[in-house]
Amino acid sequence: MNDRVLRVQDLAVHFKLREGLFFKARTYTLKAVNGVSFELNAGETLGIVGETGCGKSTLARAILGLIKPSRGRVLWLGEDLGKLDEEALRKKREDLQIIFQDPLAALDPRMTVRDIIAEPLWTFYPRIARVQVDERVRGMMKMVGLLPNQVNRYPHEFSLGQCQRIGIARALVLNPKLVVCDEPVSALDVSIQAQIINLLKDLQKMLNLSLVFIAHDLSVVRHISDRVMVMYLGRAMEISTQKALYRRPLHPYTSALIKAVPVPDPRLARIASDTGLTGDMPSPLDPPAGCVFHGRCPYVVKRCELEVPALRRMENGDWVACHRAEELDLTIGKSST
Amino acid sequence: MTLLEVKDLDVSFETHDGEVHAVSKLSFSIDAGDALAIVGESGCGKTQSMMAVMGLLTENGKASGQALFKGKDLLQMNVADLNKRRGKEIAMIFQDSMTSLNPYLRIEKQMIEVLMHHQGLDKAEARGHAIEMLRAVRIADPERRIRQYPHEYSGGMRQRVMVAMGLLCQPDLLIADEPTTALDVTVQAQISRLMTELRAKSNTAIILITHNLGVVAGLCDRVLVMYAGQAVECGTVEQIFYQARHPYTRGLLKSVLRLDQPGDTGLEAIPGNPPSLLSLPAGCRFRERCPQAHDACCEMPPMRRDEQGHTWRCFLDQVDE
Amino acid sequence: MTKSTDNSSFDPFEAALGVRDLKGRSPWEDAWYRLLKNRAAVCSAFIMGGMILLVLVGPMVISWESDFTDWDFTSSPPSFSSGHWFGTDAVGRDILVRTLEGGRISLLVGLVATLVSLIIGVSYGAIAGYFGGTADRIMMQVVDIIYALPFLFFVILLMVVFGRHIVLIFVAIGAVNWLDMARIVRGQTLSIKNMEFIEAARACGVTPWNIIRRHIIPNLMGVVIIYVTLTIPQVILIESFLSFLGLGVQEPMSSWGALVSDGAQDMESAPWTLIVPAVFLTVTLYCFNYIGDGLRDALDPKDRL
């Protein structure tokens, strides 16, 4: 499991926005993703967690080349995706797939399930026989837990959970190596979330997929990730193994996120601790100087306002971007110092 | 004192596919100052039951049964009488704050409208009140913010404004329909905390509609679990979380993604999907997905009750330690 | 259901695997059922159907020829005894036959010109909308420029250069109408382009042309159909207007507009020469409008994205 398949280096995506007319016009730069680096090995799952505005969805699309990065590189199996022309990049899509957040919107409402799942096949194998397509589509449907006799139905005739299964079938029909899951369970009901996460785990094992699993909630990624990256305002705050992160997070923001998740246990919930965060999230149009988190951090010192902390490696192999990482002990369950 | 008592509420909708039975014989009650959670998945009828109580059903919907608010049946009331109570004695806040607020009106105007209508305040008084409320929900710089438009607020702030608007007239009952579902976790935590505080201050009863069991555990005293339009279990938070008796409730609790469990434990999902509300099965509606179904389940199980007031709709006894 | 208390061994999934394929219900079918419930639209559709049948078959069945001048009954009012049920015009031609034949021309113009504007407008608009950027800007500037040209001037110019030919009418009208269609299609394309399933198609490596062909155009069709049913009456009216001004079809061919023009001249002495074609024209316009309205209601925004 040590073969690295994906390497992202200092990736940034900046959007230029114009406001006002003519002479009063001002351009703002929206730094959606502002310098993110990480690696992914074959068969591994990296969970990416962050709240609204942290840039995780933009990051997902930049990794796949659906959005052009403003800076940085994405190396897939050693090859720089940014250097490929349109056609070459298109061919790579056989290996790089995505599952979307809104299960129904991700499906063309006027196509049958069969057509939706078959489309990637037609695209990459234009001469493929009808019979073969049909066989493969039905096989995929069975694999994701859908009854094959539903092939002729339309997306609006399915529940959201089933729509997501269709989306997963479509993403996997070409046997990709990397699947980016952009908040795949956020729109689903609680018990369906568990179904879909279990499905993804099984499929990953079966097909040896590498997954990038994006969510806004730490409890969601826990069950599926090997490592977790926490993002805030376009930057990575921490990248740790799953076990370590949930026991002893390295970054104050991670600790706040963990404390913020409501525990479904009345006795524990009553003594739930304050997240420790103050204020609201700043706008990505105008990120604070120094550490982007310093305005809300309960452990802030002078240095945090002036200097941007680099993402650095700690003793146990995990990464964190915090000036005070060595001194803070954010073990869950211990009251904050 | 019982504030709202719902008896045998039935809600159905006429669609061109047939009649959809959204809610079947729902009964529950809530006392003053209480916090009740109505828990269930999409399509279980939790939202529609409250819409019926508030008189907000769409044209093709009809409700029967009783919804006694302070002794008077809301379902039998005409619009004028309902309007006297809505906003003032019962308030409802919805999930999507962006569509609940009029994008063309300043926040000020929307908040003042409620106050002037129900409490007969003049503009200046109403404005002062509204600003105080914004301050209470921790909107920074409320005097300036109140003059802004909804799109100038973030999602979390809008939701806080919704909570503020709901509580403006200090209603006896606040119905919150998935108020935190669309929000970030940290904002969710803020709003939950806020609602707890405000409830303590003004003794407002809260009905919280949600499928997030974590929020329920932190905020509510009692829980009503719904499935396919019916109430399947009802009890205090402790009873539901630690001594759940209905197989659906137990399945739900097992499948919830929890932070306090190690990541390698498998998730136990409830297999299958809820039944279609167009063609409900006879007998227990959970039968098809129930790991403990047996022949007797072809009959509709009655609602059973134990000495602690814990009710559940199942033939089995399921007691957990 | 089996008697076992353990439901996990009974897998409803396995049991259902052998079952026949189910039929799906596409959003079009849903829209169709909604349309059928709209009485005004359905009535109008029947009336239009009847109208089309009449104009096609009528002149062949009626005993009078459209150019036959019945000197016994010039400018005679409608009567059963004369055999001219809708009367005759100043030179004794049967009004009904003239109107029905004129209807052929009017409806033909409506259909053909609309078809032309449909094909050009949809392709142009979808391409401009999907590719965006400079191409879009240039293409839309062209549309704006052509739009600014005075229509009548353009038509007269064509007439002068190419002479008065029926095909010219189609060309002239089609050449102007596609502009509106292109604008509307471009706007819709812009909003569809940002939908997640388009992004999904890109992520699956589908080429831009296939995306336009397979995803964008079918999802545009709802709006396009509505617009088409409202364009047809517009085109018929334009043609009538041209004919009224004397720029339209040449004698002996006639259209409703020309007939109305002729009839207007004899309005006081022989009002039926005006009323009959005017009624046919008006009924057609109303019917198309009701059908268009019905379609707009039926093609639910929820379906239509």
Side-chain angles (χ1 to χ4, degrees), chain A residues 50-53 56 159-162 185-198 201 216-220 222-224 242-243 246 253 256-270 272-275 277-281 296, chain B residues 40-43 46 138 140 154 157 160 181-190 193 211-221 237-238 241-242 248 251-253 255-274 289:
Chain A
E51 302 185 292
T52 322
K56 52 195 196 290
S159 70
L160 281 183
Q162 290 169 319
V185 297
S186 299
L188 304 175
D189 273 330
V190 164
S191 66
I192 311 287
Q193 282 185 8
Q195 280 183 7
I196 299 291
I197 291 185
N198 279 344
K201 279 173 82 166
H216 62 242
D217 186 341
L218 276 173
S219 56
V220 172
R222 182 161 203 189
H223 293 269
I224 196 171
Q242 180 254 110
K243 277 204 177 62
Y246 290 88
Y253 180 57
L257 277 183
I258 293 176
K259 289 196 207 142
V261 175
V263 179
D265 187 329
R267 285 181 207 135
L268 295 179
R270 300 302 177 183
S273 39
D274 189 358
T275 60
L277 292 182
T278 47
D280 287 309
M281 186 176 299
R296 306 178 73 196
Chain B
E41 301 171 281
S42 317
K46 53 195 197 297
R138 273 185 232 116
S154 72
M157 288 170 84
R160 279 182 275 169
T181 303
L183 302 173
D184 284 328
V185 185
T186 49
V187 179
Q188 240 183 49
Q190 267 181 333
R193 178 180 234 91
H211 58 85
N212 185 331
L213 291 175
V215 173
V216 171
L219 196 53
C220 301
D221 307 317
V237 218
E238 266 91 20
F241 278 88
Y242 303 127
Y248 174 62
L252 207 56
L253 288 166
S255 68
V256 167
L257 303 164
R258 304 172 65 125
L259 214 46
D260 54 339
Q261 266 171 7
D264 346 21
T265 52
L267 287 172
E268 281 186 56
I270 310 177
N273 291 300
R289 306 168 74 189

Side-chain angles (χ1 to χ4, degrees), chain B residues 53-68:
Chain B
V53 165
M54 291 286 284
L56 294 172
L57 287 178
T58 52
E59 264 174 18
N60 60 339
K62 58 179 194 290
S64 63
Q66 286 184 314
L68 300 168

Side-chain angles (χ1 to χ4, degrees), chain C residues 13-305:
Chain C
F13 190 74
E14 282 299 322
L17 275 181
V19 176
R20 231 169 13 129
D21 282 353
L22 293 171
K23 193 171 117 41
R25 203 183 69 215
S26 82
W28 295 117
E29 277 182 62
D30 278 344
W32 180 248
Y33 289 127
R34 273 195 288 263
L35 183 65
L36 289 180
K37 284 206 205 125
N38 184 328
R39 269 183 300 205
V42 172
C43 267
S44 302
F46 273 115
I47 295 177
M48 272 323 298
M51 179 80 77
I52 293 175
L53 211 62
L54 259 181
V55 302
L56 284 178
V57 171
M60 298 192 270
V61 165
I62 297 177
S63 44
W64 309 107
E65 298 279 324
S66 60
D67 50 3
F68 174 68
T69 50
D70 192 346
W71 295 112
D72 297 329
F73 292 103
T74 60
S75 274
S76 69
S79 80
F80 285 118
S81 56
S82 65
H84 295 283
W85 293 358
F86 281 67
T88 59
D89 66 0
V91 289
R93 291 177 293 190
D94 182 57
I95 291 291
L96 180 60
V97 170
R98 290 266 288 168
T99 307
L100 292 182
E101 283 210 354
R104 285 181 181 178
I105 302 295
S106 288
L107 287 176
L108 193 64
V109 172
L111 242 57
V112 173
T114 303
L115 204 67
V116 167
S117 83
L118 181 73
I119 295 175
I120 304 180
V122 169
S123 341
Y124 199 87
I127 293 172
Y130 186 75
F131 289 106
T134 341
D136 176 33
R137 266 206 298 267
I138 295 178
M139 287 171 88
M140 284 300 125
Q141 288 287 49
V142 168
V143 167
D144 286 338
I145 291 173
I146 300 181
Y147 214 80
L149 293 176
F151 174 62
L152 226 45
F153 178 73
F154 182 62
V155 170
I156 295 175
L157 198 64
L158 279 180
M159 301 290 176
V160 164
V161 172
F162 293 107
R164 288 177 66 174
H165 195 271
I166 181 77
V167 174
L168 218 47
I169 311 284
F170 296 153
V171 171
I173 299 179
V176 169
N177 254 92
W178 73 265
L179 299 171
D180 272 338
M181 182 71 78
R183 278 230 185 104
I184 288 183
V185 166
R186 173 188 174 265
Q188 276 296 109
T189 306
L190 284 180
S191 69
I192 294 177
K193 191 166 71 150
N194 293 319
M195 301 262 160
E196 286 205 325
F197 64 86
I198 299 289
E199 193 174 20
R202 285 175 56 216
C204 288
V206 185
T207 57
W209 290 104
N210 278 329
I211 290 182
I212 294 180
R213 196 172 55 90
R214 229 182 261 150
H215 294 283
I216 298 209
I217 291 188
N219 281 293
L220 282 176
M221 274 305 130
V223 172
V224 168
I225 289 176
I226 294 172
Y227 194 66
V228 157
T229 50
L230 298 174
T231 304
I232 297 181
Q234 201 185 36
V235 167
I236 295 178
L237 209 51
I238 293 178
E239 185 282 319
S240 309
F241 178 59
L242 286 178
S243 299
F244 194 81
L245 291 180
L247 290 171
V249 289
Q250 286 264 49
E251 290 281 336
M253 262 198 296
S254 194
S255 75
W256 283 333
L259 289 172
V260 165
S261 171
D262 291 343
Q265 290 170 345
D266 291 330
M267 207 162 48
E268 284 169 358
S269 52
W272 55 90
T273 54
L274 169 63
I275 293 176
V276 173
V279 165
F280 272 78
L281 178 60
T282 314
V283 166
T284 304
L285 296 179
Y286 263 108
C287 284
F288 272 110
N289 276 305
Y290 278 123
I291 295 174
D293 275 349
L295 282 172
R296 204 175 16 228
D297 289 340
L299 291 161
D300 189 346
K302 255 195 341 227
D303 278 353
R304 242 196 325 127
L305 320 163

Side-chain angles (χ1 to χ4, degrees), chain B residues 57-128:
Chain B
L57 287 178
T58 52
E59 264 174 18
N60 60 339
K62 58 179 194 290
S64 63
Q66 286 184 314
L68 300 168
F69 181 69
K70 293 187 186 165
K72 298 231 171 51
D73 190 0
L74 295 173
L75 297 177
Q76 302 296 334
M77 264 183 222
N78 59 31
V79 180
D81 288 331
L82 266 178
N83 276 335
K84 282 207 208 96
R85 290 171 174 75
R86 292 194 287 219
K88 181 158 179 244
E89 294 173 47
I90 318 183
M92 186 161 180
I93 59 183
F94 301 91
Q95 177 176 352
D96 189 351
S97 59
M98 197 61 208
T99 53
S100 302
L101 292 169
N102 187 329
Y104 292 108
L105 295 178
R106 296 184 202 270
I107 298 288
E108 176 181 25
K109 186 136 191 203
Q110 301 186 51
M111 291 182 86
I112 290 177
E113 183 180 44
V114 177
L115 283 170
M116 285 167 71
H117 174 70
H118 282 299
Q119 300 191 330
L121 300 175
D122 69 29
K123 204 156 171 214
E125 283 177 325
R127 189 159 187 274

Side-chain angles (χ1 to χ4, degrees), chain A residues 17-217:
Chain A
L17 305 173
R18 264 176 73 100
E19 211 179 61
L21 296 166
F22 304 119
F23 308 116
K24 282 208 292 178
R26 280 175 301 173
T27 29
Y28 295 100
T29 312
L30 177 66
K31 300 189 178 143
V33 180
N34 205 7
V36 171
S37 307
F38 66 86
E39 293 178 3
L40 187 67
N41 294 324
E44 198 188 4
T45 304
L46 175 71
I48 300 183
V49 176
E51 302 185 292
T52 322
C54 74
K56 52 195 196 290
S57 286
T58 312
L59 177 64
R61 284 154 177 77
I63 295 174
L64 294 175
L66 292 170
I67 294 183
K68 266 215 149 357
S70 318
R71 193 178 79 218
R73 304 196 297 169
V74 177
L75 296 162
W76 168 249
L77 296 176
E79 217 179 328
D80 186 349
L81 291 181
K83 293 220 163 38
L84 297 174
D85 63 21
E86 283 282 336
E87 189 52 29
L89 186 59
R90 202 181 65 81
K91 294 240 167 55
K92 286 272 175 243
R93 302 223 176 277
E94 209 175 338
D95 284 342
L96 309 168
Q97 278 297 323
I98 181 169
I99 298 171
F100 295 90
Q101 179 176 358
D102 186 343
L104 191 54
L107 307 175
D108 186 331
R110 289 172 208 276
M111 286 173 83
T112 56
V113 170
R114 171 195 279 114
D115 290 344
I116 291 173
I117 300 178
E119 188 171 26
L121 288 172
W122 299 329
T123 306
F124 285 95
Y125 303 103
R127 304 205 189 296
I128 192 172
R130 264 268 202 86
V131 174
Q132 272 184 294
V133 170
D134 198 62
E135 220 177 277
R136 182 110 178 104
V137 167
R138 284 175 201 265
M140 292 307 303
M141 287 178 79
K142 274 205 285 235
M143 189 156 71
V144 299
L146 288 168
L147 289 173
N149 69 353
Q150 314 257 26
V151 273
N152 291 321
R153 288 187 132 180
Y154 292 81
H156 69 94
E157 299 182 85
F158 292 91
S159 70
L160 281 183
Q162 290 169 319
C163 282
Q164 195 60 294
R165 291 175 194 265
I166 299 173
I168 293 174
R170 175 180 58 193
L172 298 179
V173 73
L174 291 173
N175 273 328
K177 302 204 182 59
L178 171 72
V179 182
V180 174
C181 310
D182 186 7
E183 303 215 48
V185 297
S186 299
L188 304 175
D189 273 330
V190 164
S191 66
I192 311 287
Q193 282 185 8
Q195 280 183 7
I196 299 291
I197 291 185
N198 279 344
L199 175 65
L200 285 171
K201 279 173 82 166
D202 291 339
L203 290 171
Q204 178 185 33
K205 251 199 283 281
M206 203 160 62
L207 305 169
N208 197 33
L209 298 170
S210 310
L211 293 182
V212 173
F213 193 101
I214 298 173
H216 62 242
D217 186 341

Side-chain angles (χ1 to χ4, degrees), chain A residues 277-296:
Chain A
L277 292 182
T278 47
D280 287 309
M281 186 176 299
S283 158
L285 277 173
D286 187 23
C291 174
V292 285
F293 188 60
H294 82 253
R296 306 178 73 196

